[in-house]
Amino acid sequence: MRRLLFLMAALVLCFCGCREDVQQQKKLVMATNATFPPYEYVDKGRIDGIDAEIVRRIAMRLGYDLEIEDMAFDAVIAAVQTGKAQVAASGITVTEDRKQKVFFTDSYVIAAQVMIVLKNSPIKSAADLKGKRIGVQRGTTGESYVKDNIQEPERFQNGPEAVTALANGKLDVVVIDGEPAEAYVAKNPNLKILPEPLVQEEYAFAIGKNNKALLDKFNAELRKMKESGELAAIINSYRKTRLIVVFPANSGTEKLYTQSVLEQIAERLKFKIEFQDGNLENVTAALNVTRKQLIVPMIPLTAEEENLFPNVGKFTAAEYVVVVPEKSPILKFSDLNGKKVGTRKGSFAEHYLEKHVYPPQTFPDAATSIAALSAGNLDAVVIDKNTALNLLKNNKNLKIMPGTFARETYVFAAGKENPDVLKEFLASIKLLQSSGELNAMLEKAGEAHKTPRQTVAPVQENAPAMTDTFWGSIKFSFYNNFIKDQRYTYLVQGFFVTLQITVLSVLMGIVIGFLVAVVRSTADITGKLKLLDGLCRIYLTVIRGTPVVVQLLIIYFVIFGSVDVNKVLVAVIAFGINSGAYVAEIIRGGIMSIDKGQMEAGRSLGLSYGQTMREIILPQAFKNVLPALGNEFIVLLKETSVAGYIALQDLTRGGDIIRSQTYDAFFPLIAVALIYLVVVMFLSWLLGRLEKRLKRNE
Amino acid sequence: MSETIFEICDLVKQFPALTAVDHVSTTIKRGEVVFVVGPSGSGKSTFLRCLNMLEQPTAGQILFKGKDVTKHEISLNSFRQQVGMVFQHFNLFPHLTIHKNITLAPVRTHRLSAKEASEKADALLKRIGLYDKRDAYPAQLSGGQKQRIAIIRALAMNPDVLLFDEPTSALDPEMVGEVLSLMKELAQEGMTMVVVTHEIGFAAEVANRVIFMDQGKIVVSGTPDEVIKNSEHPRVRDFFSKVL
C-alpha cells in the first residue's frame, strides 16, 4: 500500500513538473494530423512535412521550442481554441466557418481538392458524383464541400483509411487534397486521380483568437520567407520529383549496382527515390497520372512497350569496349567465348559479361586489368570507352576492338502531362556526365558493391517479390506491413505505451478502488462517514454511467484543457479513475461477502475497526475478489485501445499507422489482435497461479 | 465479597420490531460463573453481546470495574481487551494460521510483545493438546478443536472475564464434551465467566449462579438448585421440564 501511495505521489510530482516547464521555457505547441503528405507525415518516427518545416523555422526565429502534437484532424482547430496548442498547422483550408473560431495567418499555399477513383471507374468528373458513395476525411474542406454541394459523404478518420475503403470497393470515390492524393495513388496502382480538381483552396496556419500577438509575428515571418523565396524553396523541396525504379522480380546482383548508381544520381539532383519490384503493368499504371515523377523501368522493354510511355528518354551512362593485344586472334565479340576476359570488379561490365558471356576475371581497377593483359595473363579486357582511351594512350601493343561491346543505358519515363520533368532531368544528368561526376558515381557503385551493401539498403535486398501465388502474396504483404521501413517498431513502441498506461492505471485503480470500497463499506457497517459515502456514490454513478472514451476526452480537453500535460499521464488518470469505480464495487462486494462474525471477532479482541479491516477483512476480501479483479484488469488492458482518441500512439494506434502506410488491413489488425490476446492469456495464467497460491491455506 | 466486574443497571436494548433486553439489572463478581438460560428469543444472546458492547444498548448502564462503558468517552477497544468473547460459530480467522490467530490481537493491541505472545500461545496450545496444529489453518481443524482454539484465543488476552455465546450449539454431539471440559477447567481455576447455553446439565454442574431469562427480562436468578430444580415459577418449571 505504501509503495502505491509513493507511486501516486510521483505521478502528481511529474504532473506539477510538466506545468512548470511551460512557464519557464517558451514552448510553442503545434497541433497537426500527420497523415497528410507532403504537408505532414511521420517519417522514421518523426513528424516531417511542409507545415512542420515552416513552423519549425518560424518557431526557431521567434525563440520558441517547438513541440508537435499529432491528433485527429477534427481536433486540431479545437486544440488552438482551448489553448492546448498555440498554432494548428495541418494543411488547413481557410473557410468562413473556421474564421469564426480562430485567426488564420496569410496563406502559404493554394491547393486543390481532387477525386480519387478506381482505374476502371465510370466516374469521369465532378458531374458524375451525385448518388455515388463518396468518402472524405473528417473535418476537411472536402467534407464540407461535398456535404454542401453534392450529398452527405462517408467520413473517415484520416485519408489513408478512406483510400483503403476505396481500394476495397467500399466507396466509389474519395475527395481529398491533391498532394497527399498523389502519394496515396502512387502506392496503389488500381487507383487514379481525376485530372480535373473538384475545388481550389488556400492553406494557412490557425492561431487562437486570444493570441493576436503571435498571429502578427507569424505573418511577419511568413512575409519575410515569401519575399526571400525561402517559402517556395521549402515547399519545392518537399515536392521533390520522385524517381521510381522498378526491378523485375528475379533481378540478380546487377540490381545492387544499378540501385547504387541511381541513388547517387537522385541524391545529387535532390530527387526522392523509391525502389519497387513489379511488372510492367504496374509501371505503366503509375505513369497515368500527372505527377512529378520519373519511372525507371529496369525491365527490358520492347519497342512496342516503350511506346506505352508518352515521354521516354534514354540515357547512356557509359559505353564498354573490348581491349585486346595488337595481334589477338579475337576478331569479333563472339570470339570472346571461352577466352580469359578481365574487367573491373563490381562494374557494369562484370555483370554484363556474367550474364551474356561467362564469368570474367575481375581486378580492383581498370589499370590493373590492362597491365594483366599486357603481361599476357588475359586474352581481353572489357572496360568503359573513356577509361580505355586514356589507358591506351601510352600502350602501342594493345588495341580497342571496333564497335561498342555493351551500353549501360537507363530508360526514364514521365507522365504525359510532365514532359518538362523528363527534359530537365536528362539535361542535368548530361551535365553530370560531361563534368565527370557521373563516371565517379559509376565507379563508386562498383566500389560499394565490392563490400556487402547490407548497411546501405538492406530492406530492398531482402524484399520478397510480389508474386501471384497465394503464399507469395502473403509473404510480400507480411514483409510490406512489418519489415519494410521497420514498420514493426510502430507495434513495439505502441505495445510499450499500452503496457505503461495499463500498469499505471491498474495501480491507480486499485488505490482509488480500495479507498472508495473502504469508505462505502465503513458507512454501511458502522453508519459513519456519511458525507464521504455520498461523494463516493456520486463518483461511482458518474464514472460507471458514462463511456470511458468520453471520460478520456473530457479529462484531456476539458479538465486539462488549458494545461500542457503528458498524454500518457492523462490516459493513466482517465483509465485509473474509470477502473477505480469498478474496482471499488468489486472490493466492496468482497468486503460485504465476509461473514460479519469476522468483524465481531476482531472487535471483541479489542482490535480497532481499522486494524480489523486491514488485518482480517481486507485480506480475505481480496482473495475472494481476485478473479473478478483480474477480469477487470484484462478489460482495462483492452479498453486502453481507445487512447488513440487523444492521439496517443498505443498498440492499436500503431496498427492504424501501419494501415495508413500500406493500405492493408489484414496483417496490421491481426497482429494487433494477437498481441492483445497473448498479453491477456499471459495475465490470465499469472492470475491463475496467484489464486492457487492464495488458496493454499484453505 | 470479591471485586465487582460487571454492574448492569436497567439495561434496555430495543430493535425496530422488538425489545430484546427489557430493563435487566444484575451484578457479576470476580470468580463468578454465571449461566444465562432460557427459551429461544428470550434475549439472552443480545444481553451477552451488550456486555462487551457488540450491541449498543438503547438505555441503562453497564459498569465495568466501576466505569460506565456505555459512555462515549470510554475507549471501547481497551475495554474489550479485558473482556474475552467466544462465539457460537468460533469466528476464527481463516486466512491466518492457528498460531497467528492467537497472537494477532495481543501483539496488535500491545498487551504483549511478539515474543511473549508467541510463548503464551504455545503454552496454551500445549495445555489443550493442540500444539501440533500450531501452523495449521482453521479449515484443517474439527469443530471442537476450532472452538477450543477460539477459547484460548480469548484467553491469550488475559481478560478479566470470558463471555460465551452458545459455545457448543454449532458442534456435532461427539465434540461437545471436549469444549465443555475445557470450560469446566477454566471455571475451576477461578475464571470469571458469563455463559449463554442450552446445556442445562452442564450449567447445573458448573454454575455458581443461573439466570433464567424470558421475553427480555430476568425471571429468576439464583443457585442452580434454586433455579433449575426448585423454582416455583410456572414458566421456569415448564421450560426445564421440557429440556431436562
Side-chain angles (χ1 to χ4, degrees), chain A residues 421-446:
Chain A
V421 173
L422 184 65
K423 270 185 218 153
E424 276 168 33
F425 178 77
L426 290 176
S428 14
I429 202 169
K430 277 195 183 112
L431 277 177
L432 290 184
Q433 190 172 37
S434 55
S435 71
E437 263 187 82
L438 186 68
N439 241 336
M441 288 177 186
L442 297 186
E443 276 187 31
K444 205 174 153 203

mmCIF file of all heavy atoms in Angstrom, chain A residues 421-446:
data_model
loop_
_atom_site.group_PDB
_atom_site.id
_atom_site.type_symbol
_atom_site.label_atom_id
_atom_site.label_comp_id
_atom_site.label_asym_id
_atom_site.label_seq_id
_atom_site.Cartn_x
_atom_site.Cartn_y
_atom_site.Cartn_z
ATOM 1 N N VAL A 421 9.532 17.563 -66.818
ATOM 2 C CA VAL A 421 10.282 16.869 -65.778
ATOM 3 C C VAL A 421 11.364 16.020 -66.418
ATOM 4 O O VAL A 421 12.515 16.010 -65.994
ATOM 5 C CB VAL A 421 9.336 15.975 -64.940
ATOM 6 C CG1 VAL A 421 10.123 15.124 -63.964
ATOM 7 C CG2 VAL A 421 8.335 16.836 -64.200
ATOM 8 N N LEU A 422 10.979 15.320 -67.489
ATOM 9 C CA LEU A 422 11.942 14.452 -68.168
ATOM 10 C C LEU A 422 13.059 15.264 -68.812
ATOM 11 O O LEU A 422 14.237 14.937 -68.663
ATOM 12 C CB LEU A 422 11.197 13.627 -69.223
ATOM 13 C CG LEU A 422 12.045 12.596 -69.966
ATOM 14 C CD1 LEU A 422 12.528 11.518 -69.003
ATOM 15 C CD2 LEU A 422 11.260 11.970 -71.100
ATOM 16 N N LYS A 423 12.674 16.343 -69.469
ATOM 17 C CA LYS A 423 13.674 17.171 -70.153
ATOM 18 C C LYS A 423 14.696 17.725 -69.162
ATOM 19 O O LYS A 423 15.896 17.651 -69.386
ATOM 20 C CB LYS A 423 12.987 18.353 -70.872
ATOM 21 C CG LYS A 423 12.585 18.006 -72.301
ATOM 22 C CD LYS A 423 12.018 19.247 -72.995
ATOM 23 C CE LYS A 423 10.861 18.882 -73.890
ATOM 24 N NZ LYS A 423 9.914 19.985 -74.073
ATOM 25 N N GLU A 424 14.165 18.265 -68.082
ATOM 26 C CA GLU A 424 15.069 18.827 -67.067
ATOM 27 C C GLU A 424 16.022 17.767 -66.540
ATOM 28 O O GLU A 424 17.214 18.001 -66.369
ATOM 29 C CB GLU A 424 14.257 19.368 -65.876
ATOM 30 C CG GLU A 424 13.748 20.767 -66.091
ATOM 31 C CD GLU A 424 12.725 21.134 -65.034
ATOM 32 O OE1 GLU A 424 12.868 20.661 -63.883
ATOM 33 O OE2 GLU A 424 11.780 21.871 -65.354
ATOM 34 N N PHE A 425 15.446 16.583 -66.293
ATOM 35 C CA PHE A 425 16.254 15.526 -65.709
ATOM 36 C C PHE A 425 17.376 15.117 -66.679
ATOM 37 O O PHE A 425 18.531 15.009 -66.279
ATOM 38 C CB PHE A 425 15.368 14.316 -65.384
ATOM 39 C CG PHE A 425 16.113 13.161 -64.834
ATOM 40 C CD1 PHE A 425 16.527 13.163 -63.518
ATOM 41 C CD2 PHE A 425 16.425 12.072 -65.632
ATOM 42 C CE1 PHE A 425 17.227 12.101 -62.997
ATOM 43 C CE2 PHE A 425 17.126 11.006 -65.120
ATOM 44 C CZ PHE A 425 17.531 11.018 -63.790
ATOM 45 N N LEU A 426 17.013 14.917 -67.938
ATOM 46 C CA LEU A 426 18.021 14.481 -68.906
ATOM 47 C C LEU A 426 19.104 15.547 -69.065
ATOM 48 O O LEU A 426 20.290 15.227 -69.183
ATOM 49 C CB LEU A 426 17.372 14.163 -70.255
ATOM 50 C CG LEU A 426 16.488 12.901 -70.250
ATOM 51 C CD1 LEU A 426 15.816 12.716 -71.607
ATOM 52 C CD2 LEU A 426 17.304 11.666 -69.905
ATOM 53 N N ALA A 427 18.686 16.804 -69.032
ATOM 54 C CA ALA A 427 19.670 17.884 -69.150
ATOM 55 C C ALA A 427 20.647 17.843 -67.974
ATOM 56 O O ALA A 427 21.866 17.943 -68.157
ATOM 57 C CB ALA A 427 18.958 19.236 -69.218
ATOM 58 N N SER A 428 20.115 17.679 -66.767
ATOM 59 C CA SER A 428 21.034 17.720 -65.617
ATOM 60 C C SER A 428 21.917 16.491 -65.569
ATOM 61 O O SER A 428 23.071 16.575 -65.149
ATOM 62 C CB SER A 428 20.297 17.891 -64.275
ATOM 63 O OG SER A 428 18.942 17.670 -64.395
ATOM 64 N N ILE A 429 21.416 15.350 -65.997
ATOM 65 C CA ILE A 429 22.259 14.160 -65.917
ATOM 66 C C ILE A 429 23.369 14.235 -66.975
ATOM 67 O O ILE A 429 24.485 13.760 -66.757
ATOM 68 C CB ILE A 429 21.399 12.879 -66.042
ATOM 69 C CG1 ILE A 429 22.155 11.699 -65.436
ATOM 70 C CG2 ILE A 429 21.019 12.581 -67.442
ATOM 71 C CD1 ILE A 429 21.305 10.480 -65.282
ATOM 72 N N LYS A 430 23.081 14.919 -68.105
ATOM 73 C CA LYS A 430 24.139 15.091 -69.111
ATOM 74 C C LYS A 430 25.242 15.998 -68.586
ATOM 75 O O LYS A 430 26.425 15.790 -68.849
ATOM 76 C CB LYS A 430 23.547 15.649 -70.416
ATOM 77 C CG LYS A 430 22.966 14.516 -71.234
ATOM 78 C CD LYS A 430 22.688 14.884 -72.682
ATOM 79 C CE LYS A 430 22.051 13.699 -73.392
ATOM 80 N NZ LYS A 430 20.635 13.974 -73.755
ATOM 81 N N LEU A 431 24.818 17.007 -67.839
ATOM 82 C CA LEU A 431 25.808 17.890 -67.209
ATOM 83 C C LEU A 431 26.720 17.085 -66.296
ATOM 84 O O LEU A 431 27.934 17.279 -66.269
ATOM 85 C CB LEU A 431 25.107 18.971 -66.392
ATOM 86 C CG LEU A 431 24.625 20.197 -67.176
ATOM 87 C CD1 LEU A 431 23.880 21.140 -66.250
ATOM 88 C CD2 LEU A 431 25.817 20.904 -67.830
ATOM 89 N N LEU A 432 26.115 16.169 -65.518
ATOM 90 C CA LEU A 432 26.894 15.330 -64.601
ATOM 91 C C LEU A 432 27.890 14.485 -65.376
ATOM 92 O O LEU A 432 29.027 14.282 -64.950
ATOM 93 C CB LEU A 432 25.976 14.395 -63.817
ATOM 94 C CG LEU A 432 25.061 15.003 -62.767
ATOM 95 C CD1 LEU A 432 24.297 13.900 -62.043
ATOM 96 C CD2 LEU A 432 25.872 15.818 -61.762
ATOM 97 N N GLN A 433 27.437 14.031 -66.550
ATOM 98 C CA GLN A 433 28.319 13.170 -67.336
ATOM 99 C C GLN A 433 29.509 13.954 -67.878
ATOM 100 O O GLN A 433 30.652 13.525 -67.764
ATOM 101 C CB GLN A 433 27.532 12.549 -68.492
ATOM 102 C CG GLN A 433 28.321 11.469 -69.209
ATOM 103 C CD GLN A 433 27.454 10.753 -70.220
ATOM 104 O OE1 GLN A 433 26.610 11.383 -70.867
ATOM 105 N NE2 GLN A 433 27.646 9.459 -70.359
ATOM 106 N N SER A 434 29.219 15.153 -68.406
ATOM 107 C CA SER A 434 30.323 15.903 -69.023
ATOM 108 C C SER A 434 31.304 16.407 -67.964
ATOM 109 O O SER A 434 32.469 16.568 -68.231
ATOM 110 C CB SER A 434 29.773 17.063 -69.853
ATOM 111 O OG SER A 434 28.953 17.870 -69.050
ATOM 112 N N SER A 435 30.820 16.634 -66.740
ATOM 113 C CA SER A 435 31.737 17.099 -65.699
ATOM 114 C C SER A 435 32.526 15.941 -65.100
ATOM 115 O O SER A 435 33.386 16.143 -64.247
ATOM 116 C CB SER A 435 30.948 17.800 -64.593
ATOM 117 O OG SER A 435 30.216 16.841 -63.864
ATOM 118 N N GLY A 436 32.222 14.709 -65.502
ATOM 119 C CA GLY A 436 32.951 13.564 -64.959
ATOM 120 C C GLY A 436 32.384 13.036 -63.663
ATOM 121 O O GLY A 436 32.817 12.011 -63.143
ATOM 122 N N GLU A 437 31.395 13.760 -63.102
ATOM 123 C CA GLU A 437 30.808 13.316 -61.834
ATOM 124 C C GLU A 437 30.150 11.954 -61.974
ATOM 125 O O GLU A 437 30.191 11.121 -61.084
ATOM 126 C CB GLU A 437 29.743 14.321 -61.376
ATOM 127 C CG GLU A 437 30.242 15.338 -60.375
ATOM 128 C CD GLU A 437 29.104 16.183 -59.847
ATOM 129 O OE1 GLU A 437 28.424 15.693 -58.926
ATOM 130 O OE2 GLU A 437 28.888 17.294 -60.359
ATOM 131 N N LEU A 438 29.503 11.761 -63.131
ATOM 132 C CA LEU A 438 28.767 10.529 -63.330
ATOM 133 C C LEU A 438 29.709 9.329 -63.318
ATOM 134 O O LEU A 438 29.432 8.307 -62.700
ATOM 135 C CB LEU A 438 28.003 10.593 -64.656
ATOM 136 C CG LEU A 438 27.086 9.398 -64.904
ATOM 137 C CD1 LEU A 438 25.918 9.395 -63.933
ATOM 138 C CD2 LEU A 438 26.570 9.403 -66.327
ATOM 139 N N ASN A 439 30.859 9.514 -63.987
ATOM 140 C CA ASN A 439 31.832 8.427 -64.007
ATOM 141 C C ASN A 439 32.269 8.031 -62.602
ATOM 142 O O ASN A 439 32.384 6.853 -62.272
ATOM 143 C CB ASN A 439 33.055 8.851 -64.831
ATOM 144 C CG ASN A 439 33.231 7.926 -66.024
ATOM 145 O OD1 ASN A 439 32.761 6.776 -65.976
ATOM 146 N ND2 ASN A 439 33.865 8.400 -67.073
ATOM 147 N N ALA A 440 32.491 9.069 -61.794
ATOM 148 C CA ALA A 440 32.878 8.807 -60.404
ATOM 149 C C ALA A 440 31.793 8.009 -59.700
ATOM 150 O O ALA A 440 32.075 7.102 -58.903
ATOM 151 C CB ALA A 440 33.125 10.128 -59.680
ATOM 152 N N MET A 441 30.541 8.351 -60.012
ATOM 153 C CA MET A 441 29.427 7.630 -59.386
ATOM 154 C C MET A 441 29.420 6.158 -59.802
ATOM 155 O O MET A 441 29.191 5.265 -58.994
ATOM 156 C CB MET A 441 28.086 8.251 -59.785
ATOM 157 C CG MET A 441 27.815 9.604 -59.143
ATOM 158 S SD MET A 441 26.262 10.250 -59.760
ATOM 159 C CE MET A 441 26.278 11.873 -59.025
ATOM 160 N N LEU A 442 29.670 5.922 -61.096
ATOM 161 C CA LEU A 442 29.668 4.537 -61.579
ATOM 162 C C LEU A 442 30.761 3.738 -60.879
ATOM 163 O O LEU A 442 30.554 2.589 -60.483
ATOM 164 C CB LEU A 442 29.896 4.497 -63.096
ATOM 165 C CG LEU A 442 28.840 5.162 -63.985
ATOM 166 C CD1 LEU A 442 29.143 4.913 -65.454
ATOM 167 C CD2 LEU A 442 27.444 4.667 -63.654
ATOM 168 N N GLU A 443 31.908 4.399 -60.701
ATOM 169 C CA GLU A 443 32.998 3.689 -60.031
ATOM 170 C C GLU A 443 32.665 3.414 -58.582
ATOM 171 O O GLU A 443 32.919 2.346 -58.050
ATOM 172 C CB GLU A 443 34.298 4.484 -60.147
ATOM 173 C CG GLU A 443 34.993 4.196 -61.454
ATOM 174 C CD GLU A 443 36.363 4.842 -61.531
ATOM 175 O OE1 GLU A 443 36.999 4.979 -60.457
ATOM 176 O OE2 GLU A 443 36.767 5.212 -62.648
ATOM 177 N N LYS A 444 32.076 4.433 -57.977
ATOM 178 C CA LYS A 444 31.712 4.288 -56.569
ATOM 179 C C LYS A 444 30.689 3.157 -56.399
ATOM 180 O O LYS A 444 30.728 2.406 -55.429
ATOM 181 C CB LYS A 444 31.121 5.602 -56.058
ATOM 182 C CG LYS A 444 31.276 5.760 -54.554
ATOM 183 C CD LYS A 444 30.804 7.127 -54.118
ATOM 184 C CE LYS A 444 30.335 7.071 -52.693
ATOM 185 N NZ LYS A 444 29.406 8.153 -52.391
ATOM 186 N N ALA A 445 29.772 3.063 -57.366
ATOM 187 C CA ALA A 445 28.763 1.998 -57.289
ATOM 188 C C ALA A 445 29.449 0.644 -57.307
ATOM 189 O O ALA A 445 29.066 -0.265 -56.576
ATOM 190 C CB ALA A 445 27.781 2.121 -58.446
ATOM 191 N N GLY A 446 30.503 0.537 -58.167
ATOM 192 C CA GLY A 446 31.256 -0.717 -58.196
ATOM 193 C C GLY A 446 31.951 -0.967 -56.880
ATOM 194 O O GLY A 446 31.939 -2.072 -56.342
#
